[in-house]
């Protein structure tokens, strides 16, 4: 099995904190309060970004006061949006120290330290408090994880009775993507499953399907729109991905367009 150190190394690029600070500086002085949506171009590190986060929050039926766990939280973008929009508290864990450091800085700038906490953690080894959460989110994380059984069993243990597990991940359709892609430079750290295999693995961990949606066509349209128009104003994922941002995103778009990969959006209920 590929060690988690290789995955961590992929995301822990040098200079991330400085790039994030520069991106935030473009939005105002250090003491200016930011809304989570202002930073969405930078910290929503998944297909369709903020729009997908908002849809998934609605799909999950989040209610004010609920406790949410975000596994593989990255910079904490979805955590902050979900907390602000739904009045929930969110605990996020991620393998990357650089992501957690930068994510805490963004959380501070948004004034959301009481609603959102970010910490280092391995999704397949974290000792979640049994039944400690009402919802678990997993957004574009499973692609890096070979030990899917451990991942999904951990999510199930973390959920209280009646809890929901939100899975939004890239799945294999017609073959391997063109590398490098945002989650992997080579196939050594990419572990895509088909949608059907993903469902079987999640159900085996103690879940049943509530929402099941193939978002592949929407993802293709998203990348077509990006290619046809100008880049949106404000901070972007380029600060996160680094120097080969254009190559990485072009490979991702091409992989979608050729039907090599797709996107699965699902909400599972704990049984």
């Amino acid at each position: 099995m590929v060690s988690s150190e290789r995955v961590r190394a992929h995301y822990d690029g040098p200079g991330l904190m400085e790039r994030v600070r520069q991106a935030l500086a473009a939005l105002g002085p250090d003491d200016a309060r930011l809304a989570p949506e202002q930073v969405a171009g930078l910290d929503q590190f998944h297909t369709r970004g903020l729009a997908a986060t908002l849809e998934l929050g609605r799909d999950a039926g989040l209610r004010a006061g609920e406790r949410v766990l975000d596994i593989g939280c990255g910079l904490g973008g979805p955590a902050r949006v979900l907390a602000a929009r739904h009045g929930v508290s969110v605990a996020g864990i991620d393998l990357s120290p650089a992501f957690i450091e930068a994510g805490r800085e963004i959380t501070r700038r948004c004034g959301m330290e009481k609603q959102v906490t970010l910490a280092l953690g391995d999704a397949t080894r974290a000792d979640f408090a049994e039944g400690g959460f009402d919802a678990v989110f997993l957004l574009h994380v499973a692609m890096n994880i070979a030990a899917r059984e451990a991942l999904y069993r951990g999510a199930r243990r973390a959920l209280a009775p009646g809890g929901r597990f939100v899975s939004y991940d890239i799945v294999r359709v017609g073959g391997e993507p063109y590398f490098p892609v945002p989650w992997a430079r080579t196939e050594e750290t990419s572990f895509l499953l088909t949608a059907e295999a993903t469902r079987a693995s999640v159900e085996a961990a103690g879940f049943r399907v509530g929402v099941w949606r193939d978002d592949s066509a929407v993802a293709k349209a998203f990348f077509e729109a990006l290619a046809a128009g100008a880049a949106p104003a404000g901070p972007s994922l380029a600060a996160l991905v680094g120097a080969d941002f254009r190559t990485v995103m072009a490979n991702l778009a091409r992989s979608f367009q050729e039907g090599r990969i797709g996107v699965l959006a699902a909400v599972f209920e704990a049984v």
Side-chain angles (χ1 to χ4, degrees):
M1 181 185 299
V2 174
S3 69
S4 58
E5 284 72 23
R6 289 189 183 180
V7 175
R8 182 185 295 113
H10 171 73
Y11 292 106
D12 259 353
L16 175 62
M17 189 66 190
E18 182 57 32
R19 294 197 302 273
V20 167
R21 286 198 174 110
Q22 290 177 1
L24 296 180
L27 298 175
D30 184 69
D31 58 352
R33 180 69 58 87
L34 300 176
E37 292 80 2
Q38 285 180 273
V39 200
L42 169 67
D43 63 12
Q44 302 286 327
F45 196 17
H46 52 269
T47 306
R48 299 180 55 237
L50 179 61
T53 299
L54 296 175
E55 287 179 3
L56 294 165
R58 292 191 293 267
D59 289 339
L62 294 178
R63 297 178 291 273
E66 288 192 317
R67 302 154 298 170
V68 175
L69 173 64
D70 185 4
I71 299 176
C73 62
L75 296 180
R80 287 183 290 273
V81 167
L82 294 173
R85 293 292 183 107
H86 298 279
V88 297
S89 61
V90 186
I93 67 163
D94 199 274
L95 198 63
S96 165
F99 274 21
I100 294 300
E101 180 189 17
R104 287 173 175 169
E105 174 64 12
I106 300 172
T107 300
R108 181 191 70 80
R109 289 289 305 272
C110 291
M112 299 186 70
E113 298 99 320
K114 292 183 178 180
Q115 294 168 271
V116 175
T117 58
L118 307 179
L120 283 174
D122 186 326
T124 63
R125 300 177 184 176
D127 186 18
F128 304 125
E130 186 169 352
F133 297 93
D134 302 293
V136 172
F137 278 67
L138 187 79
L139 310 185
H140 279 31
V141 174
M143 304 100 68
N144 281 129
I145 297 176
R148 294 294 184 95
E149 297 81 3
L151 172 66
Y152 298 140
R153 284 198 303 268
R156 178 63 186 85
R157 285 195 305 272
L159 282 169
R164 293 89 70 204
F165 172 45
V166 180
S167 177
Y168 183 67
D169 271 303
I170 291 176
V171 293
R172 180 191 298 275
V173 178
E176 291 286 350
Y178 294 102
F179 292 101
V181 285
W183 69 90
R185 304 213 63 78
T186 71
E187 62 184 16
E188 288 185 327
T189 51
S190 179
F191 302 97
L192 300 184
L193 296 181
T194 64
E196 294 74 17
T198 300
R199 177 171 179 163
S201 188
V202 175
E203 289 181 334
F207 292 98
R208 62 169 173 254
V209 174
V211 174
W212 183 266
R213 186 172 63 247
D214 181 352
D215 273 1
S216 302
V218 183
K220 290 179 184 178
F222 170 76
F223 282 107
E224 288 172 356
L226 283 182
S236 78
L237 289 175
L240 187 60
V241 175
D244 58 355
F245 172 73
R246 291 184 181 276
T247 299
V248 165
M249 298 308 289
N251 284 344
L252 182 61
R254 183 182 177 192
S255 298
F256 274 119
Q257 294 300 333
E258 294 185 10
R260 291 171 173 262
I261 58 175
V263 177
L264 169 66
V267 179
F268 297 90
E269 301 165 355
V271 295

